[in-house]
Amino acid sequence: MDQPFGRPTKYDPAYCDKVIELGKLGKSFEQMCALLNIGYTTMRRWRDEHEDFRLALEDAHALSQTWWEDMGQNYLVEHKDGEKINTGLWSRSMAARFPKNYSDRV
């Protein structure tokens, strides 16, 4: 009888839902590893070996980006002394979104 090499995987398809929920909170891949107590290399291996997990990580990444974009939009205008645009945040956001027109090189 053949014996498997190494330790058996701890991968569980339930991790797909967990990474999606963390993505909704704006968490990075590295934060997901830490919060799920899974090593970075293990997460990458699972991503490469399990299509469902890869797709979940892609969705989580998009959801994380959405969270951060929403935060930027929500706090683009400062309300301390009336409405005032946060020019630093606006400038960085525009350069990231529209680099052809708003990069530091233009």
Side-chain angles (χ1 to χ4, degrees), residues 37-53:
N37 197 28
I38 299 167
Y40 182 84
T41 303
T42 300
M43 284 271 280
R44 288 182 55 203
R45 183 170 30 83
W46 289 354
R47 179 195 62 200
D48 295 343
E49 292 176 355
H50 303 280
E51 183 177 11
D52 59 337
F53 192 62

Side-chain angles (χ1 to χ4, degrees), residues 11-50:
Y11 175 74
D12 181 340
Y15 282 116
C16 295
D17 292 332
K18 292 176 182 180
V19 297
I20 288 172
E21 289 306 311
L22 292 170
K24 288 178 183 179
L25 299 173
K27 303 302 183 190
S28 68
F29 186 88
E30 291 77 6
Q31 287 176 305
M32 291 177 195
C33 292
L35 292 167
L36 296 173
N37 197 28
I38 299 167
Y40 182 84
T41 303
T42 300
M43 284 271 280
R44 288 182 55 203
R45 183 170 30 83
W46 289 354
R47 179 195 62 200
D48 295 343
E49 292 176 355
H50 303 280

Side-chain angles (χ1 to χ4, degrees), residues 78-84:
E78 297 174 355
H79 297 281
K80 294 175 188 168
D81 300 317
E83 289 196 4
K84 176 183 165 192

